[in-house]
Amino acid sequence: MSKRVHIAKFGGVDGLRIDNVDIQPPGPGEVNIAVEAIGINRGDILLRQDRYIESPDLPSRMSYDAAARITAIGDGVTGFQVGDKVMTIPAFLQSHYGVCGEDVNVPDYALWPWPEAMSAEEASCVGVQYLTTYFGIKEVGGARDGDTVLLPAATGGVGLTAIEVARELGLTVIATTRSADSVDLLRQKGADHVVVTPEEDLQTRVQEVTGGKGLKTIFDPIAGATVGTSLACLKPNGTLVLYGALDPNPAQLSTTELIGKNAKIVAYTVFAYSGSIGLGFEQQTDLVNEARDFLIPRLGDGRLKPEISKVFDLEDVAAAHTFLDEENKTGKVVLRTAHGRAAS
């Protein structure tokens, strides 16, 4: 028997349940993994609240990101062996293959090697954050070496990762925050310029940094009322990539300015690249492999390093969700399993 977290009821953390389940042998194309750590994402919270891009039948599994060791291999799986240390990437529905548990089966196309230099907690923070930022900035946003990128709300898990990835892509980074207390952290992560939005005019600062040219790429989790300001910061032919909706209010923008700049506003999900059969997306394998070959060496030598906010035991999953939803300001929240505690 193995512990696994399920959503038994939509809504608050009282809907989370830890069950003891029998682990079935991996099916064709699957591997069984002994999970040591799980990275919690905003998508976990939204799934629990029934506000996510999938609305699962209950009880439902949950979570995308895990660091684990392979314990069994199904038919047709190549390239992996029992004992391999691996990380999962978001290439499935949480309800189908959610990794929030001690032992789970996952598809082999959702596995990357776990760099030896990374702790289990760090390795569990890779999948969603680093793939989202790599594809969003490079493929969707079209940013290239020498460009300047704007990263609004940069203190969150994805925002901090985006600073690192943008730096490794050779970009100049303008990061925004609502708190002056976050400036030092954003600079330490590699931001070239930090704008404290309650204290400074963002458009004016962008014009100063870019010499009046504006930005080619904005990678934005806010949307809502800030879309108009972001549009004003773009140069002609620029792209505003929306990967979240922290502001639920309707977008406010000038269609005349949008047309006049020949600008693009793109709603983006990482699954368009990493794949999710349940959402209708096939994995773009060549691009996923390109991302792996870019990210893994940099994660292995420390050029990219996940920022961890707090670690909870799996049994305290409700407290971890509450912390992420109400208190977490920077970095990732992680769950550690019995396997992880035994290995440490």
Side-chain angles (χ1 to χ4, degrees), residues 3 5 33-41 44 62-70 85-89 92 97-104 106 111 114 118-127 306 308 310-315 317 320 332-344:
K3 290 181 180 178
V5 175
I33 56 175
V35 175
E36 295 189 14
I38 302 135
I40 303 179
N41 296 290
D44 299 39
M62 64 189 309
S63 301
Y64 294 116
D65 288 340
R69 296 176 186 268
I70 295 177
K85 296 171 61 177
V86 292
M87 309 180 292
T88 55
I89 65 170
F92 47 78
Y97 283 109
V99 297
C100 196
E102 294 176 334
D103 301 273
V104 297
V106 293
L111 296 178
W114 165 0
M118 299 183 76
S119 68
E121 291 79 10
E122 290 171 334
S124 74
C125 298
V126 170
I308 296 174
K310 192 169 183 178
V311 179
F312 293 81
D313 287 338
L314 178 68
E315 294 78 5
V317 61
K332 286 277 291 194
V333 177
V334 173
L335 296 172
R336 181 174 49 198
T337 72
H339 295 309
R341 295 193 293 270
S344 61

Side-chain angles (χ1 to χ4, degrees), residues 283-291:
Q283 186 176 94
Q284 298 192 38
T285 306
D286 289 346
L287 288 175
V288 169
N289 290 343
E290 175 189 297

Side-chain angles (χ1 to χ4, degrees), residues 145-161:
D145 188 6
D147 289 338
T148 299
V149 63
L150 175 64
L151 305 176
T155 57
V158 175
L160 294 175
T161 299

Side-chain angles (χ1 to χ4, degrees), residues 35-314:
V35 175
E36 295 189 14
I38 302 135
I40 303 179
N41 296 290
R42 185 61 55 183
D44 299 39
I45 303 294
L46 295 175
L47 186 75
R48 190 198 76 219
Q49 297 171 340
D50 198 22
R51 297 170 51 215
Y52 197 46
I53 53 178
E54 62 166 309
S55 182
D57 294 331
L58 299 181
S60 173
R61 292 168 62 166
M62 64 189 309
S63 301
Y64 294 116
D65 288 340
R69 296 176 186 268
I70 295 177
T71 56
I73 293 178
D75 291 341
V77 174
T78 60
F80 295 102
Q81 297 180 354
V82 171
D84 284 351
K85 296 171 61 177
V86 292
M87 309 180 292
T88 55
I89 65 170
F92 47 78
L93 291 180
Q94 292 189 62
S95 57
H96 289 182
Y97 283 109
V99 297
C100 196
E102 294 176 334
D103 301 273
V104 297
N105 292 321
V106 293
D108 61 352
Y109 55 76
L111 296 178
W112 279 4
W114 165 0
E116 192 64 39
M118 299 183 76
S119 68
E121 291 79 10
E122 290 171 334
S124 74
C125 298
V126 170
V128 168
Q129 266 75 4
Y130 283 91
L131 276 176
T132 297
T133 56
Y134 181 82
F135 292 135
I137 293 172
K138 184 176 184 290
E139 297 300 328
V140 184
R144 295 295 182 266
D145 188 6
D147 289 338
T148 299
V149 63
L150 175 64
L151 305 176
T155 57
V158 175
L160 294 175
T161 299
I163 294 173
E164 291 187 323
V165 171
R167 181 192 65 208
E168 290 300 313
L169 289 169
L171 308 178
T172 297
V173 175
I174 305 174
T176 79
T177 176
R178 293 188 57 82
S179 172
D181 293 339
S182 301
V183 171
D184 288 345
L185 172 63
L186 295 175
R187 291 194 179 278
Q188 289 168 11
K189 297 299 286 187
D192 299 282
H193 308 275
V194 179
V195 180
V196 182
T197 51
E199 301 175 6
E200 303 177 74
D201 182 78
L202 178 59
Q203 185 179 354
T204 299
R205 188 71 179 278
V206 166
Q207 293 300 306
E208 291 173 352
V209 172
T210 63
K213 296 179 181 179
L215 298 159
K216 181 179 180 180
T217 306
I218 302 175
F219 187 59
D220 178 26
I222 303 175
T226 67
V227 168
T229 300
S230 294
L231 178 59
C233 292
L234 286 176
K235 65 169 59 174
N237 301 311
T239 301
L240 170 59
V241 181
L242 299 177
Y243 70 94
L246 295 176
D247 182 354
N249 294 306
Q252 299 178 13
L253 74 159
S254 165
T255 53
T256 300
E257 184 171 16
L258 180 66
I259 294 169
K261 286 188 172 182
N262 195 43
K264 291 186 293 184
I265 300 178
V266 183
Y268 156 66
T269 173
V270 67
F271 300 107
Y273 294 87
S274 63
S276 179
I277 294 173
L279 295 175
F281 295 112
E282 294 185 3
Q283 186 176 94
Q284 298 192 38
T285 306
D286 289 346
L287 288 175
V288 169
N289 290 343
E290 175 189 297
R292 179 198 63 203
D293 294 344
F294 177 88
L295 295 169
I296 293 296
R298 289 169 170 81
L299 289 162
D301 65 19
R303 283 175 287 173
L304 299 174
K305 190 174 180 63
E307 189 78 21
I308 296 174
S309 175
K310 192 169 183 178
V311 179
F312 293 81
D313 287 338
L314 178 68

